[in-house]
Amino acid sequence: MASPLNSTGFSDALVILGAAGLVIPAFARAKISPVIGFILVGLLVGPSGLGALVPSYPWLYHITISDPHAIEPFAEFGIVLLLFSIGLELSFKRLWSMRRLVFGTGAAELIGSGLILGTGLHLLTDVPWTGSFALGIALALSSTALVLPIAGTSSPVGRTAFAMLLFEDLALVPIIFILGALGPMAAAGGWMGFARVGGGAILTVAILFVGGRFFLPKLFAQAARTKSPELFLAASLLVVIAASLATTAAGLSPIVGALIAGLLIAETNYHSEVEVMTAPFKGLALGVFLITVGMSVDLGAILANWGSYFLAIVGVVAVKALVTFGLLRLAGIRGGVAAETGMLMGSPSETTLIVLGAAGQAQLLAPGLASFWQTVTAIGLTITPLLALLGKRAAKRIERRQGDSPEASIPEEGPGTVVIGFGRVGRMVCDMLKVHGQPYVAVEADIDAVKAARADGYPVIFGDVVRPELVDRLNLGRARALILTMDDPVLSVALTRRVRGWVPDLTIIARARDTAHAAELYKAGASDAVPETLESSLQLAEAVLTDLGVAVGPVIVSIHEKRAELRQEIKAAADLEVAPRLIRARLSKD
C-alpha cells in the first residue's frame, strides 16, 4: 500500500500551500498583485511547465500538480466565495449613491464594448451571432480583483473604476442567468425549455430574496450570541453553499446564489464580521482557481500562434480602453482620469473565465474557441499592472498638456519658500507659511491633489521632482528655503544632496522617517531634518505618562533627556561636529 505522503492529494496541497505561503508574499513585497503570482505559479507547475518534465525527472512530481482536474472543485468554490465577497460590498444604499456612474457609464461601457467586440468577432470569424456576442460580453468585463487593489477606491481613478466594476459585478447575474437558461434550449431545441428554466430561476431568486431578508438576521443573531467564531463561520459558509445549491438546482450557475447571498448579508448588521471570517478561505480558494487558470495556458500553443494571441490581446485592450475613455469624457471626467481608467479597465477579468465557461456549457462556444480566449484572458490578467503603468504615464502627459507649466507658476524674483510634496504634511506647512505671510510655491506629482489644492486657493504646481529639468526650473537660487515633505526616503536624500551641491547657502528642511533617515539627510546637506516618528513617539509617551498620574516635571525632564540621547545618535551616525537641534528642543530653549 502506498504511503499517504506519496499521494496526489498531499503533493497538490504542498504546491498550493507553498504558493500561498512563499510565492505570494514575494509578489506582495514587490507590490505585484497576488493574482498574477497565482497564475504564474499555475503556469510553472502545470502540464506545460515543470509538469512536462516529470517523466524525465521524477522528483519534480512533488512540486507540480499531476492531476489538474482534481483541484477543479476547489477552484469552483473559490469563485463562489469571490462572488459572495463582491455581493457583500454591493449594498443597495451604496449602489444608489453611485447610480449615475454605475447604471449610466458602467452600463454603457459594458454593453458598448461587448457589442463592438462581438460584432468584430462575428465579422472576422465564423462564430454565430449568439456565440460572438456572448464572447464579446465576456471580454468586456474587467478585473475587480486586480483593478481595485491597484487603483484603490478613494482616488478619482479608483472611484470611477469602482463604479463601473460595480455594474459589471451586478451584470453577472443576468448574464449568467441568460447563458444558463440558453443551455437547455440549445440541448433540447425549443423555447419551452428556455421558458421553463427561466421561470424556475426567477422563482428561486425571489424565494432567496424574501427568505433571506427574514431568515438571515435571525440566523446570524443566534450565531453572534454564542460568541463562537467557529459557529459564525459555519453559518456564513452554510448560507453561501445553500444559496449556490438552490440556484444550481434551478438551472443557474452556483455563483448567482453566492452573489445573492452576499447582497442579502450586506443589508444586515453582520456583513463586516462575515467578510472578515470568510476572507482567508476566499483568498486561498481563489488562488486555487487562478492556479488552474495558469495550468490551462499552453505555452507551446502560444509560441506557435503568438501572432494571433498578440492581435487578440491588443484588440480587446484597445476597444475597451477607447470606449471607456470616450464615455468618461462624455460624462465630464477629466482627460487624465479617463485615460488612466480606460487603460486600467482594458484587460479581461477573472469573471471573463466564468462567463466563457457558462457560454461553453450552453453550447454557444466550441471548446477550442473557448480555450483560446481563456488563454487570452490569462495573459490579459497578467499584464494588467503594465497597463496601469501605461495609463498613469498617459494621464500625466494629458494633464501636463492641459495644465499649467511649472515656469508659469514660479515668480521671476524668486518663489520664496519651495515646498515639495503637498500631502497632509505639506498642506499643514503651507497653512503655517500663509498664516505668517511667507510667500511659497508647492510642487506635487499627483495631479488630483494639485487640482484639489488649486480649487482651495493654494499655489500648487504639477510636476515630478524625479525629473532633473523640473528642479532646475524651480528657481531655487533665489528661494529662501526648500522644504521636503514627501514620504520617499531615497528621493529626499538624493534631492537634498543635489540641491546642496547647486545652492550651498539654501536652507533645506526635510521630513525624516526616523533617526537613521535624519542622519542620512544631514550627511546629504540638510539644514534640519525632522524625524516624524521621533516627535510623535515622544509626544505619545508624554501624554500617556501624565494621564497615568506621573508628575509633569519628571515627565518633561525624561522627554528632554531622551531627545538629547537621540540627538547624540544622529550626530554620531551623520558624523556631525555639533548635535542637531531637534525642533521641540529648540522651541523649549527659546
Side-chain angles (χ1 to χ4, degrees):
M1 181 176 178
S3 171
L5 293 177
N6 295 325
S7 67
T8 302
F10 274 100
S11 176
D12 294 347
L14 175 65
V15 173
I16 294 169
L17 295 177
L22 299 176
V23 178
I24 304 309
F27 276 81
R29 176 169 292 186
K31 296 183 179 180
I32 301 175
S33 172
V35 172
I36 298 174
F38 278 119
I39 293 176
L40 293 180
V41 166
L43 181 63
L44 179 65
V45 304
S48 297
L50 296 178
L53 302 178
V54 170
S56 302
Y57 304 95
W59 60 270
L60 289 175
Y61 169 84
H62 299 286
I63 59 172
T64 58
I65 296 179
S66 55
D67 185 8
H69 298 290
I71 65 172
E72 287 180 355
F74 300 100
E76 293 175 2
F77 187 59
I79 293 301
V80 166
L81 290 179
L82 172 64
L83 268 293
F84 174 67
S85 66
I86 290 173
L88 287 175
E89 298 178 359
L90 296 179
S91 65
F92 296 108
K93 293 180 181 178
R94 192 173 193 182
L95 286 175
W96 183 253
S97 66
M98 306 174 67
R99 58 189 181 278
R100 290 187 178 179
L101 269 177
V102 173
F103 298 102
T105 308
E109 186 274 333
L110 178 61
I111 296 173
S113 298
L115 288 175
I116 293 174
L117 290 171
T119 302
L121 289 168
H122 177 74
L123 296 177
L124 295 175
T125 64
D126 57 353
V127 181
W129 280 107
T130 53
S132 61
F133 281 116
L135 187 54
I137 289 294
L139 296 172
L141 297 168
S142 300
S143 176
T144 302
L146 280 178
V147 171
L148 292 186
I150 291 174
T153 57
S154 58
S155 67
V157 173
R159 288 194 298 269
T160 304
F162 180 59
M164 302 172 76
L165 290 168
L166 278 179
F167 180 82
E168 293 184 1
D169 294 334
L170 284 177
L172 279 176
V173 175
I175 289 173
I176 296 174
F177 169 80
I178 293 173
L179 294 179
L182 287 175
M185 186 187 71
W191 288 98
M192 290 303 296
F194 180 88
R196 183 172 59 255
V197 173
I202 292 174
L203 180 62
T204 301
V205 170
I207 293 174
L208 286 176
F209 269 102
V210 175
R213 284 186 172 275
F214 174 78
F215 177 70
L216 290 183
K218 296 183 178 181
L219 172 65
F220 284 106
Q222 291 296 329
R225 289 190 184 99
T226 64
K227 297 183 180 180
S228 171
E230 295 82 3
L231 183 58
F232 205 91
L233 176 60
S236 303
L237 296 178
L238 173 64
V239 171
V240 177
I241 294 173
S244 300
L245 290 175
T247 53
T248 302
L252 297 177
S253 171
I255 67 172
V256 176
L259 188 58
I260 293 173
L263 280 169
L264 292 172
I265 295 177
E267 297 299 317
T268 69
N269 297 324
Y270 309 99
H271 68 278
S272 297
E273 186 69 14
V274 171
E275 189 172 2
V276 171
M277 285 287 185
T278 57
F281 294 91
K282 179 201 73 175
L284 185 58
L286 177 61
V288 177
F289 166 73
L290 293 171
I291 287 176
T292 62
V293 172
M295 290 190 297
S296 68
V297 176
D298 188 345
L299 290 177
I302 293 176
L303 293 176
N305 302 280
W306 66 270
S308 300
Y309 286 107
F310 177 79
L311 291 176
I313 293 171
V314 170
V316 171
V317 171
V319 168
K320 294 177 65 178
L322 290 175
V323 170
T324 303
F325 176 80
L327 290 172
L328 291 178
R329 292 296 290 154
L330 288 175
I333 304 298
R334 293 201 319 270
V337 174
E340 185 174 351
T341 306
M343 290 300 296
L344 196 57
M345 300 279 287
S347 64
S349 167
E350 63 279 352
T351 51
T352 298
L353 301 168
I354 302 171
V355 178
L356 288 175
Q361 291 178 359
Q363 303 179 16
L364 299 176
L365 296 176
L369 183 63
S371 176
F372 174 85
W373 288 105
Q374 284 173 353
T375 302
V376 170
T377 301
I379 299 173
L381 285 169
T382 307
I383 66 171
T384 300
L386 175 61
L387 296 177
L389 179 62
L390 294 176
K392 286 184 178 180
R393 292 184 176 179
K396 286 184 177 180
R397 289 186 178 181
I398 292 174
E399 297 289 357
R400 192 179 298 122
R401 224 173 20 241
Q402 295 177 348
D404 298 330
S405 64
E407 299 91 337
S409 302
I410 300 176
E412 293 183 1
E413 64 274 13
T417 298
V418 176
V419 180
I420 296 181
F422 197 78
R424 55 183 177 82
V425 177
R427 180 181 286 264
M428 184 68 70
V429 171
C430 292
D431 286 338
M432 298 307 298
L433 290 172
K434 183 178 180 181
V435 167
H436 294 279
Q438 298 296 318
Y440 70 90
V441 171
V443 182
E444 173 58 47
D446 185 349
I447 187 60
D448 300 314
V450 172
K451 295 288 186 181
R454 287 177 178 173
D456 293 336
Y458 291 94
V460 183
I461 63 175
F462 172 71
D464 192 348
V465 292
V466 174
R467 296 186 294 116
E469 60 270 20
L470 174 65
V471 181
D472 295 339
R473 295 170 184 170
L474 289 176
N475 206 1
L476 293 176
R478 297 184 180 181
R480 298 182 61 189
L482 172 65
I483 303 177
L484 306 177
T485 70
M486 64 277 197
D487 187 19
D488 189 332
V490 177
L491 179 60
S492 60
V493 171
L495 192 57
T496 299
R497 184 178 292 109
R498 181 168 183 265
V499 173
R500 177 58 70 209
W502 175 33
V503 191
D505 299 327
L506 179 65
T507 298
I508 303 176
I509 302 175
R511 168 190 178 187
R513 282 191 174 181
D514 48 32
T515 55
H517 184 212
E520 292 183 19
L521 287 166
Y522 279 116
K523 285 183 179 180
S527 307
D528 279 307
V530 184
E532 57 182 10
T533 55
L534 184 153
E535 286 303 326
S536 61
S537 301
L538 292 179
Q539 291 181 39
L540 284 171
E542 181 179 346
V544 71
L545 287 171
T546 54
D547 287 344
L548 290 174
V550 181
V552 175
V555 170
I556 293 177
V557 171
S558 64
I559 293 294
H560 282 298
E561 290 176 351
K562 187 63 177 178
R563 187 178 284 112
E565 177 186 335
L566 294 172
R567 288 174 56 197
Q568 293 300 323
E569 290 182 6
I570 295 175
K571 173 188 174 183
D575 196 19
L576 299 175
E577 295 182 0
V578 180
R581 294 184 300 169
L582 301 182
I583 300 302
R584 283 290 295 273
R586 178 182 300 169
L587 291 177
S588 61
K589 184 177 180 180
D590 294 342

